[in-house]
Amino acid sequence: MPTLYVIIASTRPGRVGLPVGQWFYRRAVEHGAFDVEAVDLAEWNLPMMDEPNHPRMRQYEGEHALDWSSKIDAGDAYVLVMPEYNFSYTAPLKNALDYLHQEWQYKPVGLVSYGGLAAGTRAQQAIKPVLLALKMVPLNESVMIPFVSQLRSEDGTEIEPTAQMESMATTLLDELARWALALKPMRETPSV
Ligand SMILES: Cc1cc2nc3c(=O)[nH]c(=O)nc-3n(C[C@H](O)[C@H](O)[C@H](O)COP(=O)(O)O)c2cc1C
């Protein structure tokens, strides 16, 4: 089965991103098409980009960059669980993307965004050119969660998914599985 990484893009204490990511992780496991792993950017705690060489060269010097490269290289598909900050996506997510290049290429990526009324849709639009620059394949289907704070349990550790969220998650995972399969031969073909 292809490996899917569910990347949690909010790193702040008390983030709703953790329960949202945990919900999506469970949904992805239940879906059954992937080996699923959660990748928490708060745990990775990558420093601000500090590599001397362009990531295209894959000549990493820092232990953290080498570890991050090995981790992402092993993925076949990704889901970014991301809040909207000031009409865009989070700085730790941009940093994590910028560290690498070939490791992301020709792999599908689904977006699970959340926020207030706009449900993180502006963050989704803002990140798409970045994903394309890395030759990733961002999917048209996504999960959009409006007013996410209203879905939180009293202790903040869980979220109560809506029927819409469940349905969007299934569609996203179905598409991701198709694209993961379709893009695999492309990654195995040497570039001309
Ligand atoms: C720095 C910052 C900027 C924010 N900007 C937006 C925004 O542009 N649009 C929005 O819908 N919510 C915005 N919010 C509210 C977030 O959607 C809400 O705080 C959410 O819980 C953030 O996700 P997190 O808890 O996983 O970090 C912002 C929150 C923060 C901390």
Side-chain angles (χ1 to χ4, degrees):
M1 283 205 291
T3 296
L4 167 64
Y5 289 149
V6 176
I7 299 180
I8 299 171
S10 171
T11 55
R12 63 183 194 93
R15 63 210 160 128
V16 73
L18 187 59
V20 174
Q22 287 166 337
W23 161 72
F24 192 85
Y25 169 84
R26 286 194 299 272
R27 289 288 289 107
V29 171
E30 282 162 23
H31 182 268
F34 299 97
D35 284 324
V36 192
E37 206 182 303
V39 174
D40 186 348
L41 293 187
E43 276 176 22
W44 273 85
N45 197 21
L46 291 165
M48 287 299 273
M49 174 59 164
D50 61 355
E51 284 294 309
N53 301 311
H54 193 293
R56 254 199 310 256
M57 298 162 75
R58 286 188 91 148
Q59 287 171 1
Y60 304 115
E61 294 192 357
E63 206 62 45
H64 53 281
L66 286 161
D67 290 347
W68 184 235
S69 164
S70 310
K71 176 72 180 169
I72 293 307
D73 207 33
D76 297 300
Y78 309 94
V79 164
L80 308 178
V81 177
M82 43 187 259
E84 180 170 291
Y85 283 179
N86 298 314
F87 288 20
S88 190
Y89 57 99
T90 64
L93 180 55
K94 179 68 159 62
N95 192 45
L97 289 166
D98 287 345
Y99 258 101
L100 310 176
H101 192 86
Q102 288 166 30
E103 295 85 339
W104 299 114
Q105 274 184 7
Y106 306 124
K107 295 179 184 174
V109 52
L111 305 177
V112 173
S113 71
Y114 55 89
L117 176 66
T121 48
R122 293 168 295 211
Q124 288 202 15
Q125 292 311 106
I127 204 169
K128 280 180 187 167
V130 178
L131 302 175
L132 291 172
L134 292 166
K135 296 196 186 184
M136 298 183 89
V137 178
L139 302 192
N140 176 53
E141 293 72 18
S142 70
V143 177
M144 293 159 278
I145 310 175
F147 303 116
V148 67
S149 57
Q150 295 174 12
L151 304 176
R152 261 188 134 167
S153 61
E154 214 159 283
D155 66 1
T157 59
E158 296 203 41
I159 55 153
E160 182 65 44
T162 62
Q164 256 180 337
M165 283 165 62
E166 299 282 11
S167 154
M168 286 188 284
T170 303
T171 307
L172 177 63
L173 287 160
D174 286 348
E175 279 294 303
L176 206 56
R178 293 187 71 186
W179 279 101
L181 204 66
L183 291 172
K184 200 170 189 315
M186 203 161 167
R187 295 204 296 280
E188 286 159 2
T189 311
S191 52
V192 282

